[in-house]
Amino acid sequence: MTDGAVAVSPHPAGVPTDLMSLSYEPLTPTSFLDRAAATHGDRVAVVDGEQRFTYTELHERCRKLAGGLAAIHAGRPVAVLVPNTHVGLEATYAVPWSGVPLVAVNTRLAAGEVAYILEHSNASVLVHDPVFDDLVADALGRLEAPPQTVRVGDDYERLITWGEPTAVIPDDERALLSINYTSGTTGSPKGVMYHHRGAYLQALAMVGHTGLSPSSVHLWTLPMFHCNGWCFPWAVTAAAATHVCLPKVEPARIWELVRDHGVTHLNGAPTVLSMIAYAPEAGPVTTKVRVATGGAPPSPAILRRMAELGFEVTHLYGLTETFGPAMICDWRPEWNDLDGGTQARMKARQGVGNMIAQAVRVIIDDGADAPADGLTTGQIALRGNNVMLGYLHDEQATRDAAPDGWFRTGDIGVMHPDGYVELRDRSKDVIISGGENIASVEVEQAIADHPAVLEVAVIAIPDERWGEVPAAYVTLRDGATASEEEIVEHVRSRLARFKAPKRVVFTDLPRTSTGKIQKFVLRDAAWAGQERRIR
Amino acid sequence: MTDGAVAVSPHPAGVPTDLMSLSYEPLTPTSFLDRAAATHGDRVAVVDGEQRFTYTELHERCRKLAGGLAAIHAGRPVAVLVPNTHVGLEATYAVPWSGVPLVAVNTRLAAGEVAYILEHSNASVLVHDPVFDDLVADALGRLEAPPQTVRVGDDYERLITWGEPTAVIPDDERALLSINYTSGTTGSPKGVMYHHRGAYLQALAMVGHTGLSPSSVHLWTLPMFHCNGWCFPWAVTAAAATHVCLPKVEPARIWELVRDHGVTHLNGAPTVLSMIAYAPEAGPVTTKVRVATGGAPPSPAILRRMAELGFEVTHLYGLTETFGPAMICDWRPEWNDLDGGTQARMKARQGVGNMIAQAVRVIIDDGADAPADGLTTGQIALRGNNVMLGYLHDEQATRDAAPDGWFRTGDIGVMHPDGYVELRDRSKDVIISGGENIASVEVEQAIADHPAVLEVAVIAIPDERWGEVPAAYVTLRDGATASEEEIVEHVRSRLARFKAPKRVVFTDLPRTSTGKIQKFVLRDAAWAGQERRIR
């Protein structure tokens, strides 16, 4: 703008401040429940076993739960440790409305890990399901100042009955909404800080890309503690669709729910898709089911099988740091004419930024963009409204992750000439097993802690069911002994069970001339002969 | 939040300012074209007659046009007067990127009205199609300081060739994006100020509610000058779908384009739907076409006919002040089981706030909400992110329209028990003819200007084709004479042709005891026997 154009300046300076509120409401994903209650209040919001809640009921329960929590949380975060039940959904609304961030804890973690997260997040309240009573007791026993617990059942319902309806909306739409812990490259999980604005926009992108509508029925096969369920607790509600809860991923139960409730949408890692597709109960569905998958590329075989059953699979890509799926393999109509094999190869690409994301970059070593030649590898980098605020209490890690304002995913990929990104490797030492992240270093530290171990390297090895699993290569101290079972048990006593190595090899480790362990030598041997390999 | 919780306060105070940009990008609908070019660059963005532009080409043209415009607009708005061609689309990106607001002028207006808008908006440049050469010459002849003209064709292409690629993004996402003139209750059109944030969010809501995807093909049956085409220039691009231009609403051409290009989406007033449905070329389509209609409720007959042809109609409601459709008759799956007549009645309701809108209110006289009983009438009121900043240079009108921070639509409706709103009447004296707003008072003023006229009242009367049309009830001065044709011609010389009365009745006007003209008496007579009547 040049001078002398005040009256029609692009900045609405001419609008009096008191009138600006007419056209402004802070973006928060909790508003989707307000809308659903106002517009679809009498329709079923949640199916959870025999329980049903309408949107009016869900709204009321969340507002009262918010009031109950506000009375006890003392301004500190509220953590939840629950399976995919109505409680997980209610927490995504009630905890923010109570005025504090939500910490949804991965239910597969070990007690020590849960204790770490509760302490690190400074949680004052832990809402937990009775199925985790033992885990909670163990975790809380490790803390000097354990949070107050609210046990799902009587405790929880009492809090709802007792709470005054409350809905705190932050003035700043970039206020802290939730803290999601992720295993990264370091040993301790990092607390990824989500903001209201990002979750709101990400939810709208999910609605747009998956075609959610009031006629949709979403089955909760994806854990709600994963990136707040990829923002689907908010997206499904934005569309006023129905949530169908699934406390455990059991194929027979999934097929029962798909058929009984006319499920139209579900999400999950390729491992979950395999369980569904190859279950004895599997059979073609009458209404198309839209499936979003991520964590690893879906194989041609699973894509073919899912298509036969009437499931349309979309491949997404993202990280905890990006509110879940920041990228989508956006299907192009012209690809419908390709042969099945080529279609599968197209669908295995991670794709493009989603509709609210900034354009994805593939950054080579000098900070420039890799040419879009499908060959030159670089690190996939993201920024924009669906990127985290940072890591809680770890400014340095945040800076390291975004050295130039672009968040480095740690994944190595190429940019194809059509603008689609495909992963080639991971630079961070992360193993993704059945959709769960495992930091190699975390497992290495646990094993190195064993008195018989001199040194250790943990890598991913291929696994038919989980895609990949951790394997440990261990050198024992002179004269010391340890069995494979002993090492595995040692890890299990410290970390979540899924992080324990599925194989332990006692060996000397390959090294560079300067003594650095050469993991790639181990990997090359382990993955020889595998067709697809993102390592 | 209580004190002592700084580290995990919901406000991300702990995040250093320089890191906040990682997770923030100002919302602007122009970013959707950046994304489409980066992610679907080689695909067809625009079909306009024989012309085709890919998203890469469209992006480049808009950036260069922005540079060309920036060199000549001197920081003042750029107006466009074009049919639904690629130029109209390009303007929705290029003008904001040039750093000034867009003024898309209704092409059906008379020269005096165009001149008024150019002057009122302080436009420095007018981009116009050669089909409007005469209109532009006439309009500009009325101005002391006419804007510079850019004639589509050589002029326009030269500006693109010559322009440096430019894309100004406002720091403030609530900056002024466009000014859309509307006929309201007063004689002069009012300039409705759109902001970037509102258009961005509204576009996402349109994607979500109409299911736009990269496989979609959108036919431009709705004028782009209407509320910036209900934000579809941005929504269609956000989905990376294809725009098919339609300079003139000709049924034969529409059917040709629908069939040749596999159109999946189009928008328009019920009048336009009728033209399509009853054209000689009409016949069932092989791929479902999703139609959004507004301006008046679609009739049961048209809904039945469209369904037979394979068109799925969604009824939307909004105003220029609300970026187009702020409300949607969100279809509920349980309504699929209703009989056709009941379905049509459901679909004729204006519905609920769209997914980014705040909950709609129906406000009774004392400022309270009407009970949701389907009976109590009140004024429909809206606020939130898809509401205008205000009327340009008319703070008082803005205040009058939103006396308590809720924008009064001027329309009278009821709230049904299920949360859906249905219009019953209009409190503002607006005639909606074929989707175009006509202010009664504007027509009355034009007629009163005739030397033979003593007084006049203009109301809407039913019309099979246009839904409603203006009719004038005129009392002549003692001894004066004037014919119906003379009055009509008199109006046409001052206002757009569609605003001229379709009938002129010379009569005494009904009055209250205090002498006020009783328009409702005229209306009751004119609408007697009509089944549906929103007046």
Side-chain angles (χ1 to χ4, degrees):
Chain A
M1 290 294 294
T2 59
D3 287 348
V6 174
V8 290
S9 159
H11 191 285
V15 182
T17 309
D18 68 308
L19 278 176
M20 289 297 281
S21 68
L22 175 63
S23 54
Y24 182 80
E25 185 188 19
L27 303 181
T28 167
T30 59
S31 67
F32 295 130
L33 183 51
D34 290 326
R35 175 184 181 270
T39 62
H40 295 77
D42 52 341
R43 299 185 55 232
V44 174
V46 184
V47 173
D48 186 355
E50 296 303 308
Q51 288 187 289
R52 300 285 179 283
F53 299 110
T54 65
Y55 268 112
T56 297
E57 289 165 347
L58 180 65
H59 187 244
E60 186 62 11
R61 283 175 63 85
C62 291
R63 281 160 43 92
K64 297 192 71 169
L65 178 58
L69 290 171
I72 61 172
H73 66 39
R76 290 159 51 202
V78 171
V80 299
L81 188 74
V82 294
N84 275 0
T85 64
H86 64 91
V87 177
L89 285 175
E90 286 164 355
T92 57
Y93 293 93
V95 176
W97 274 344
S98 80
V100 300
L102 168 67
V103 182
V105 183
N106 187 330
T107 57
R108 294 169 194 161
L109 297 182
E113 296 165 309
V114 172
Y116 175 87
I117 288 169
L118 293 174
E119 187 165 44
H120 186 266
S121 66
N122 194 27
S124 61
V125 176
L126 173 65
V127 176
H128 73 92
D129 194 279
V131 299
F132 301 120
D133 277 352
D134 293 346
L135 176 61
V136 168
D138 190 349
L140 266 52
R142 297 161 189 250
L143 294 172
E144 278 181 37
Q148 179 175 348
T149 57
V150 175
R151 192 164 180 265
V152 173
D154 290 349
D155 268 14
Y156 182 78
E157 294 299 329
R158 205 173 299 123
L159 206 58
I160 290 176
T161 308
W162 173 74
E164 286 295 320
T166 300
V168 176
I169 304 298
D171 289 335
D172 183 344
E173 66 189 27
R174 303 182 68 203
L176 187 53
L177 170 70
S178 60
I179 308 165
N180 289 300
Y181 282 82
T182 179
S183 289
T185 48
T186 61
S188 303
K190 291 203 288 287
V192 174
M193 296 190 285
Y194 281 21
H195 44 103
H196 287 251
R197 174 181 166 103
Y200 179 95
L201 293 170
Q202 178 76 352
L204 286 178
M206 294 300 102
V207 171
H209 285 297
T210 67
L212 286 164
S213 80
S215 301
S216 302
V217 178
H218 180 85
L219 179 64
W220 270 104
T221 38
L222 180 82
M224 293 180 194
F225 58 72
H226 262 181
C227 319
N228 294 126
W230 296 356
C231 296
F232 275 74
W234 303 305
V236 173
T237 302
T242 300
H243 298 266
V244 178
C245 294
L246 182 75
K248 269 183 103 162
V249 176
E250 295 164 333
R253 178 71 177 146
I254 290 173
W255 279 104
E256 188 188 339
L257 291 170
V258 164
R259 291 182 175 127
D260 287 358
H261 296 286
V263 167
T264 59
H265 289 72
L266 61 85
N267 303 332
T271 309
V272 175
L273 272 49
S274 292
M275 289 168 63
I276 296 172
Y278 298 109
E281 297 81 4
V285 289
T286 47
T287 306
K288 183 175 77 175
V289 180
R290 297 179 73 154
V291 177
T293 193
S299 70
I302 190 71
L303 288 173
R304 200 163 43 239
R305 174 76 180 144
M306 293 300 271
E308 283 164 10
L309 295 169
F311 290 63
E312 184 183 288
V313 178
T314 298
H315 181 203
L316 307 170
Y317 166 85
L319 300 89
T320 303
E321 288 86 341
T322 63
F323 294 73
M327 291 174 64
I328 175 170
C329 186
D330 220 2
W331 191 252
R332 297 180 169 198
E334 54 269 29
W335 293 345
N336 291 331
D337 301 330
L338 300 175
D339 65 85
T342 311
Q343 284 193 358
R345 220 164 50 241
M346 287 303 189
K347 202 161 260 188
R349 306 194 302 181
Q350 281 64 29
V352 297
N354 75 31
M355 64 176 72
I356 68 107
Q358 264 183 269
V360 177
R361 293 179 64 195
V362 175
I363 299 181
I364 55 180
D365 284 349
D366 61 1
D369 289 289
D373 58 9
L375 294 168
T376 310
T377 56
Q379 200 173 162
I380 299 171
L382 305 165
R383 65 175 280 148
N385 291 311
N386 58 351
V387 171
M388 65 169 178
L389 291 167
Y391 298 114
L392 180 69
H393 303 324
D394 201 344
E395 184 181 325
Q396 193 53 52
T398 310
R399 289 193 185 282
D400 292 348
D404 51 7
W406 280 83
F407 172 71
R408 298 298 198 277
T409 60
D411 288 331
I412 302 298
V414 297
M415 177 70 78
H416 284 286
D418 61 2
Y420 281 52
V421 169
E422 186 172 3
L423 253 70
R424 291 284 193 235
D425 199 357
R426 297 204 181 93
S427 71
K428 284 183 186 171
D429 227 351
V430 174
I431 300 158
I432 302 192
S433 187
E436 294 284 351
N437 276 18
I438 305 169
S440 305
V441 63
E442 189 179 19
V443 185
E444 287 164 358
Q445 285 171 357
I447 295 174
D449 208 29
H450 189 283
V453 172
L454 175 65
E455 57 183 15
V456 57
V458 170
I459 62 161
I461 59 170
D463 182 89
E464 200 157 311
R465 176 159 186 198
W466 303 109
E468 49 189 57
V469 290
Y473 295 76
V474 174
T475 311
L476 294 178
R477 291 177 191 282
D478 274 351
T481 57
S483 69
E484 175 161 8
E485 293 67 37
E486 220 179 310
I487 298 293
V488 169
E489 268 317 303
H490 178 81
V491 175
R492 285 187 176 165
S493 72
R494 282 159 173 75
L495 301 178
R497 292 182 70 86
F498 68 88
K499 296 181 183 175
K502 296 292 171 296
R503 191 202 300 169
V504 181
V505 181
F506 297 100
T507 179
D508 283 341
L509 299 177
R511 295 180 175 285
T512 63
S513 57
T514 58
K516 222 178 141 211
I517 296 173
Q518 293 174 301
K519 280 197 180 182
F520 74 90
V521 175
L522 298 171
R523 284 194 199 108
D524 283 350
W527 287 82
Q530 296 287 324
E531 197 196 339
R532 168 163 298 278
R533 175 182 164 199
I534 297 180
R535 284 298 338 144
Chain B
M1 291 294 293
T2 58
D3 288 348
V6 175
V8 291
S9 160
H11 191 283
V15 181
T17 308
D18 68 309
L19 277 176
M20 289 296 282
S21 68
L22 175 63
S23 54
Y24 181 80
E25 186 189 19
L27 303 181
T28 167
T30 59
S31 68
F32 294 130
L33 183 52
D34 290 327
R35 174 184 182 270
T39 62
H40 294 78
D42 52 340
R43 299 184 56 233
V44 174
V46 183
V47 172
D48 186 355
E50 294 304 307
Q51 288 187 289
R52 300 285 180 281
F53 299 112
T54 65
Y55 268 113
T56 297
E57 289 166 345
L58 180 66
H59 187 245
E60 186 63 10
R61 283 176 63 83
C62 290
R63 281 161 43 91
K64 297 192 70 170
L65 178 58
L69 290 171
I72 62 173
H73 66 38
R76 290 159 52 200
V78 171
V80 298
L81 188 74
V82 293
N84 274 0
T85 64
H86 64 91
V87 177
L89 285 175
E90 286 164 355
T92 57
Y93 293 93
V95 176
W97 274 344
S98 80
V100 298
L102 169 67
V103 182
V105 182
N106 185 330
T107 58
R108 294 170 194 158
L109 297 181
E113 294 166 309
V114 173
Y116 175 87
I117 288 170
L118 293 173
E119 189 164 43
H120 187 266
S121 66
N122 194 27
S124 61
V125 176
L126 173 65
V127 176
H128 72 92
D129 194 279
V131 298
F132 301 120
D133 277 352
D134 292 347
L135 176 62
V136 168
D138 190 350
L140 267 52
R142 296 161 189 250
L143 295 172
E144 278 182 36
Q148 180 175 347
T149 57
V150 175
R151 193 165 180 265
V152 173
D154 290 349
D155 268 14
Y156 182 78
E157 294 299 329
R158 205 173 299 124
L159 206 58
I160 290 176
T161 308
W162 173 73
E164 286 295 322
T166 300
V168 176
I169 303 298
D171 289 336
D172 182 344
E173 65 190 26
R174 303 181 69 204
L176 185 54
L177 170 69
S178 60
I179 308 164
N180 289 300
Y181 281 82
T182 180
S183 289
T185 48
T186 61
S188 303
K190 291 204 287 286
V192 174
M193 295 191 287
Y194 280 22
H195 44 104
H196 288 251
R197 174 181 166 103
Y200 179 95
L201 294 170
Q202 178 76 352
L204 287 178
M206 295 300 102
V207 171
H209 285 297
T210 67
L212 285 164
S213 81
S215 302
S216 302
V217 178
H218 179 84
L219 179 63
W220 270 104
T221 38
L222 181 81
M224 293 181 193
F225 59 72
H226 262 180
C227 319
N228 294 126
W230 296 357
C231 295
F232 275 74
W234 303 306
V236 172
T237 302
T242 300
H243 298 266
V244 177
C245 295
L246 183 74
K248 271 182 101 163
V249 176
E250 294 164 332
R253 179 70 176 147
I254 291 173
W255 278 103
E256 187 187 340
L257 291 171
V258 165
R259 290 183 176 128
D260 287 358
H261 297 287
V263 167
T264 59
H265 289 73
L266 61 85
N267 303 332
T271 308
V272 174
L273 273 49
S274 292
M275 288 169 63
I276 296 172
Y278 297 110
E281 297 80 5
V285 290
T286 48
T287 307
K288 182 176 75 176
V289 180
R290 297 179 72 154
V291 177
T293 194
S299 69
I302 191 71
L303 288 172
R304 200 162 44 239
R305 174 74 181 147
M306 293 300 271
E308 284 164 10
L309 295 169
F311 290 63
E312 184 183 288
V313 178
T314 299
H315 181 203
L316 307 171
Y317 166 84
L319 300 89
T320 303
E321 287 87 342
T322 63
F323 294 72
M327 292 175 63
I328 175 170
C329 185
D330 221 3
W331 192 253
R332 298 179 167 198
E334 54 269 29
W335 293 344
N336 291 331
D337 301 329
L338 300 175
D339 65 84
T342 311
Q343 284 195 357
R345 219 166 48 242
M346 287 302 189
K347 203 160 260 189
R349 306 194 302 181
Q350 281 64 30
V352 297
N354 74 32
M355 63 175 72
I356 68 108
Q358 264 184 270
V360 177
R361 293 179 63 197
V362 174
I363 300 181
I364 54 179
D365 283 348
D366 62 359
D369 289 289
D373 57 9
L375 294 169
T376 311
T377 55
Q379 198 171 163
I380 299 171
L382 306 165
R383 64 176 280 149
N385 291 311
N386 58 351
V387 171
M388 65 169 179
L389 291 168
Y391 298 115
L392 181 69
H393 303 324
D394 201 344
E395 185 181 324
Q396 193 53 52
T398 310
R399 290 192 185 282
D400 292 348
D404 51 7
W406 281 83
F407 172 71
R408 298 296 198 277
T409 60
D411 289 329
I412 302 298
V414 297
M415 177 71 78
H416 284 287
D418 61 2
Y420 280 53
V421 169
E422 186 172 3
L423 253 72
R424 290 284 192 236
D425 198 356
R426 296 201 183 96
S427 71
K428 284 183 187 172
D429 225 350
V430 174
I431 301 159
I432 302 192
S433 185
E436 294 283 351
N437 277 17
I438 304 169
S440 306
V441 63
E442 188 179 19
V443 186
E444 286 164 357
Q445 285 171 354
I447 294 174
D449 209 29
H450 189 285
V453 171
L454 175 65
E455 58 182 17
V456 57
V458 170
I459 64 161
I461 58 170
D463 182 271
E464 200 157 310
R465 176 159 187 197
W466 303 109
E468 48 189 58
V469 290
Y473 295 76
V474 175
T475 312
L476 295 178
R477 291 178 192 283
D478 273 350
T481 57
S483 69
E484 175 161 8
E485 293 68 37
E486 217 178 312
I487 297 292
V488 169
E489 267 318 302
H490 178 81
V491 174
R492 285 186 176 165
S493 71
R494 280 158 175 75
L495 300 178
R497 292 182 70 85
F498 68 89
K499 296 181 183 175
K502 295 292 172 297
R503 191 201 298 168
V504 181
V505 181
F506 296 100
T507 179
D508 281 341
L509 300 177
R511 294 180 176 282
T512 63
S513 56
T514 57
K516 222 178 140 211
I517 296 173
Q518 292 175 301
K519 281 197 180 182
F520 74 89
V521 175
L522 298 171
R523 282 193 200 111
D524 284 349
W527 287 82
Q530 297 287 324
E531 197 196 339
R532 169 163 296 278
R533 176 183 163 200
I534 297 181
R535 285 298 336 142

